[in-house]
Amino acid sequence: MNLWHTKGFKWKIILSVLVFLLGLVCSTVFSVRMHQNALEARRKTAQLNATTYANYLIEDFSRAIGVTDSLEQILISEDGQCKRFETVAQNLSSSVLQSIQLAPNGVVTDIYPAAGNEDGKIDLFHDESRSELCRYGRDNNVITLQGPFSLSQGGSGIAVRNPVYLADETGQETFWGFTIVILRVPEVFARSTQALEHFGYDYRLSKRTAPLGDEYEEVASSGQALTDPASYTFPLDGTNSTWKLEVMPKGGWHQADPAMGFFCAGSLVLLLALILALALIGMREQKNVFRHLATTDPLTGLLNRKGFDEALQAYLSKHTEAHCVGVLLDIDNFKSINDVYGHAIGDLALRQLAESMHAHFPTDSILGRNGGDEFCLILKNCTCQSAAERIQAFTEERRTFWYEGVEHPFTLSVGYAELSAADAGRTPALLLSKADLALYEVKLRGKRGCLAYSEDLQLRVRTHLGFALQDISQHLPGAFLIYKADRVNDELLFANQEMVRFAGCTDLEDLLAFTDHSFRNLIHPDEREAVERSIWAQQDAQQDGTNDYVSFRLVKKDGTYRSVLDHGRLIHNRYYGDIFYVLFMDSDFIRERYQKQ
C-alpha cells in the first residue's frame, strides 16, 4: 500500500511541514523578541538589585549613624557628659567601625579604641581638610559624611559627624560638639558589594560631595568600567550626602541567548518554548522567594514582624466587620535558657514553640514572631470567649527541651484580646496593645499562664513590674550576692549595688572583673580553705534547713580587708542548679553595736 495515499497521512505530512515552517518563522520572530525581552529583563533585574542593595547600604549606614545618635542621647541625658565612654563605645563598636569619637567644641578628646588612634585627637574647626564641612554641619545641624580618606592604620575610612546641641535652663540650644564614627571602607559596604559580585554584577558606588560641590566621587567599585549601567540614587536621611549605586552584569548587557537554538532545527521549538516557560517561572519564583525572605523569620519559618503586620492589615482591610483575637506570648525566663544552656538550645525551644503553634491553631491563623522569644498570632472569626479554651489548652501544653541527656521543661506567658466591629480604628496596633497589656498582667501574677484583656487593665502594670524588679534587685537592706553552689566552679551570678560598694568596686562589671567571677576570691587567702570547708560542712550536716553562718575577712578591691559575717542559704534553681543566696554584715559594726547595748 502506498502510504502517501493512506487516508490522512498526506495531510499529516503537509501539516507537519506547515508546523515546521511556522515554527521556523516563529522561532526567528520569537528569538528576536526573546533577545529583547532578555535584555529588558536583565536591566529590570539589575535595577531591582541596585535598588535592593542600595537599601541595604542605607540600613548599614543608618546603623553606623545610630551609634552617633546613641552617644548624642547619652550626652543630652547626662548634661554633656559621657562618664563611661569607653564601656559605652565598646558596646556600640562593630567590625565596620574603625573608631568612635567625642569632639566637644569640635576638638576630638575621646577615641575608642585609643590604641592606634592617637593622631585622631585634632581640632576639626582648624583642620584644613575638615573645617569647612564641620562648620557646615554645625551651622545647619546636619550629619555630615566625609571621605573616603586614607587611615593611618591602613585602608580607607569615612567620617560620620553628628552635631550635638544641648538646651540650657531657658530652653536655648547651644552647640556642644560632635559624636563621630569612622567607618572602614570597603568593610561597611561588604554586605551589598559582596552580594552583587556573587550574583554576577560589576558595580560602582559614588557619593556627591555636597554641600561642597555637585560632582560625584567614587567610593568603592568592582574595578571594571561600566557601560550604560542601571543606577539608583538615594539620600541618607539626616545627612547632607547623596549616593549613587550603579550596576551592570559581568560581561555586559548583550550576552548569548538560548533563542539562537531555534535556528538549528524546527524540532527544538517546543524544547526552547519549555526553556522560556521555565525561565519565566524561575523569574517569578525568584520574586516570590525575595518576598518570602523579606517577610519570614528564618529561624522558625513564621512571619516576621513586617510580614505579620502586612497580613493582619490585609485581613482587617478585607473583613471590616469580622471579629478576631490577637495573641501575644513569650517563653518564661528565656534569657536564662540562653545563658545557662546556650543559644543553640534557646533556638531549639523557639522552633519547638513555632511548631506547636502550627499544630494547635487553625490553618488560616496568622502566625508570627515579633523577635527574641515573643510570638504573635491572629485567630480569625472568633471572640475571646470562643477562643479561651483553645488558648488555655495551648498555654498548659507541656513543653520541654533536652540538654546533655536531661529533659528540661519551659512554660509560656500568654495575653490575648479581641477586636470587634465596634472598635474604633480597628488597627493592628490597637489589637496588639490590648494583648500586650494582658501579657504583662500575666507576668505580674507570676508568669506561666494566660489572660484575656479587660477594660480594667491599665498601663500601670508596666510600672508595677518595673518597680518590683528594681526594688528587689537593687534595694535590699544589705550587701547581697548570688553564686553557684559548686565546690570547684563557684561562679558569681549577681550582686546588688550595696555589695558592689561593700567590696570597694564601682559597678557589677567591676566586681566580676575584680573577683574573676569567683566567690572564693572575696575571701582572704589565708582563710579561704577553712571558710569553704566550714560552709560545706554546715550544708552536709543540715537535715531540716539550708542556712549556714561563717565569719572571715573579705578582700576589697583596694587591697584592704573587712571582717564580715556571711549568712548563706542554699536553694535549687531549675536553670542554674544549686546556688547560694548570701547576705553580708560588717562584723566589727555588729560587735560594736551590741556591746553598746
Side-chain angles (χ1 to χ4, degrees):
M1 179 183 293
N2 190 342
L3 293 178
W4 182 257
H5 296 286
T6 303
K7 184 178 180 179
F9 181 78
K10 178 171 60 175
W11 292 107
K12 291 179 181 179
I13 297 298
I14 293 174
L15 183 60
S16 297
V17 172
L18 289 176
V19 171
F20 172 79
L21 294 176
L22 180 61
L24 189 61
V25 173
C26 289
S27 66
T28 302
V29 175
F30 191 78
S31 63
V32 173
R33 182 60 180 169
M34 185 178 178
H35 176 75
Q36 293 174 343
N37 287 343
L39 179 60
E40 183 179 352
R42 280 195 289 272
R43 291 201 68 88
K44 286 184 178 179
T45 303
Q47 186 65 52
L48 177 62
N49 279 312
T51 303
T52 299
Y53 290 106
N55 286 325
Y56 285 173
L57 287 170
I58 293 173
E59 292 177 6
D60 294 336
F61 268 116
S62 296
R63 279 193 289 270
I65 293 173
V67 172
T68 67
D69 290 337
S70 298
L71 289 173
E72 179 183 11
Q73 293 306 312
I74 292 173
L75 291 169
I76 292 173
S77 66
E78 297 185 359
D79 296 326
Q81 300 293 320
C82 187
K83 299 177 181 178
R84 300 175 59 197
F85 169 73
E86 184 172 350
T87 300
V88 172
Q90 183 178 11
N91 291 333
L92 294 175
S93 185
S94 68
S95 60
V96 301
L97 300 184
Q98 175 62 35
S99 66
I100 301 174
Q101 306 177 6
L102 294 180
N105 296 317
V107 179
V108 179
T109 59
D110 298 276
I111 303 179
Y112 178 86
N117 290 298
E118 294 80 4
D119 295 339
K121 294 186 176 182
I122 59 175
D123 187 340
L124 297 173
F125 292 132
H126 293 84
D127 184 84
E128 182 178 354
S129 62
R130 299 171 175 85
S131 58
E132 185 175 2
L133 190 58
C134 290
R135 289 192 180 95
Y136 177 87
R138 176 196 64 188
D139 297 339
N140 294 275
N141 192 13
V142 295
I143 299 173
T144 59
L145 279 72
Q146 186 170 12
F149 49 81
S150 296
L151 297 171
S152 60
Q153 299 87 348
S156 300
I158 293 178
V160 180
R161 303 188 184 100
N162 185 2
V164 178
Y165 291 81
L166 301 180
D168 58 21
E169 296 178 353
T170 65
Q172 182 69 32
E173 290 191 339
T174 57
F175 175 70
W176 177 88
F178 296 99
T179 57
I180 305 170
V181 294
I182 306 299
L183 308 178
R184 293 193 183 100
V185 177
E187 288 85 347
V188 69
F189 313 125
R191 181 166 68 134
S192 298
T193 56
Q194 290 176 4
L196 287 170
E197 291 187 340
H198 175 74
F199 286 113
Y201 286 94
D202 289 320
Y203 66 89
R204 178 171 59 234
L205 178 64
S206 307
K207 176 175 70 72
R208 195 174 69 180
T209 57
L212 305 181
D214 292 325
E215 297 293 329
Y216 279 90
E217 60 177 334
E218 182 178 300
V219 176
S221 74
S222 58
Q224 301 297 322
L226 304 184
T227 303
D228 190 23
S231 66
Y232 182 76
T233 302
F234 57 96
L236 286 178
D237 292 341
T239 74
N240 67 309
S241 61
T242 302
W243 295 70
K244 180 166 63 176
L245 179 62
E246 301 169 283
V247 301
M248 68 171 292
K250 293 181 182 294
W253 298 106
H254 299 281
Q255 302 175 12
D257 293 323
M260 298 304 295
F262 278 91
F263 292 105
C264 299
S267 61
L268 298 178
V269 172
L270 294 177
L271 178 60
L272 292 176
L274 177 61
I275 293 175
L276 175 62
L278 293 175
L280 293 176
I281 292 172
M283 291 176 62
R284 178 170 294 180
E285 183 64 22
Q286 185 180 39
K287 182 179 179 181
N288 291 335
V289 167
F290 283 141
R291 175 169 178 78
H292 177 78
L293 291 175
T295 59
T296 304
D297 174 55
L299 177 65
T300 63
L302 303 180
L303 294 173
N304 60 18
R305 184 56 188 264
K306 178 178 183 297
F308 180 85
D309 286 346
E310 290 178 354
L312 177 53
Q313 186 61 59
Y315 172 76
L316 295 179
S317 299
K318 186 175 180 180
H319 303 85
T320 56
E321 301 296 324
H323 286 242
C324 65
V325 172
V327 184
L328 286 180
L329 58 109
D330 62 20
I331 298 175
D332 296 331
N333 305 309
F334 181 72
K335 184 178 184 302
S336 296
I337 295 177
N338 276 337
D339 291 344
V340 176
Y341 305 107
H343 288 275
I345 298 299
D347 289 348
L348 176 61
L350 294 175
R351 286 193 294 268
Q352 289 178 347
L353 177 54
E355 291 170 2
S356 70
M357 290 171 66
H358 274 298
H360 197 91
F361 295 106
T363 56
D364 65 342
S365 303
I366 304 174
L367 308 179
R369 179 188 176 199
N370 278 346
D373 66 319
E374 184 173 293
F375 290 76
C376 48
L377 66 102
I378 299 297
L379 301 176
K380 301 178 181 178
N381 300 313
C382 65
T383 64
C384 283
Q385 183 176 359
S386 62
E389 185 175 346
R390 181 187 294 270
I391 295 173
Q392 183 73 31
F394 173 77
T395 305
E396 295 175 354
E397 184 175 294
R398 188 173 187 271
R399 294 175 177 84
T400 63
F401 60 85
W402 289 85
Y403 180 74
E404 294 183 351
V406 179
E407 187 178 22
H408 299 273
F410 66 93
T411 58
L412 305 179
S413 293
V414 181
Y416 59 100
E418 178 183 339
L419 195 65
S420 66
D423 288 317
R426 284 180 59 82
T427 63
L430 173 64
L431 176 60
L432 296 179
S433 64
K434 291 181 177 180
D436 192 40
L437 282 175
L439 174 60
Y440 270 90
E441 179 67 17
V442 173
K443 292 181 178 297
L444 282 176
R445 298 181 182 184
K447 307 179 182 179
R448 193 177 184 179
C450 65
L451 182 69
Y453 170 82
S454 61
E455 292 297 333
D456 61 343
L457 290 179
Q458 301 296 327
L459 288 174
R460 60 184 174 80
V461 297
R462 295 180 186 269
T463 304
H464 289 172
L465 179 62
F467 174 81
L469 291 175
Q470 184 178 19
D471 187 61
I472 291 172
S473 65
Q474 295 301 339
H475 297 293
L476 289 171
F480 173 76
L481 61 76
I482 304 173
Y483 71 95
K484 284 186 179 181
D486 190 306
R487 299 174 192 256
V488 177
N489 179 26
D490 59 345
E491 179 185 0
L492 280 177
L493 300 175
F494 174 80
N496 68 354
Q497 192 60 34
E498 184 68 22
M499 181 64 217
V500 171
R501 291 193 295 266
F502 211 68
C505 298
T506 58
D507 52 31
L508 180 57
E509 291 183 5
D510 189 25
L511 176 65
L512 294 177
F514 162 58
T515 61
D516 194 24
H517 294 254
S518 175
F519 167 73
R520 60 170 51 92
N521 289 335
L522 287 169
I523 307 171
H524 191 288
D526 295 342
E527 302 175 350
R528 193 170 295 163
E529 183 177 348
V531 168
E532 292 180 337
R533 188 167 54 248
S534 174
I535 291 173
W536 287 109
Q538 292 181 67
Q539 295 299 327
D540 294 340
Q542 288 178 14
Q543 299 297 324
D544 299 324
T546 56
N547 292 355
D548 63 68
Y549 300 85
V550 65
S551 296
F552 60 87
R553 285 176 292 169
L554 184 139
V555 182
K556 298 180 63 176
K557 185 180 178 182
D558 61 6
T560 62
Y561 304 95
R562 65 191 308 170
S563 297
V564 297
L565 174 63
D566 170 322
H567 179 193
R569 170 168 292 177
L570 179 67
I571 69 163
H572 183 77
N573 181 279
R574 62 174 176 166
Y575 296 113
Y576 291 92
D578 288 340
I579 61 175
F580 277 118
Y581 282 20
V582 183
L583 184 66
F584 290 95
M585 292 168 281
D586 190 309
S587 297
D588 293 337
F589 175 79
I590 294 173
R591 188 180 302 111
E592 178 182 351
R593 184 175 183 84
Y594 279 95
Q595 285 176 352
K596 288 181 179 180
Q597 293 179 351

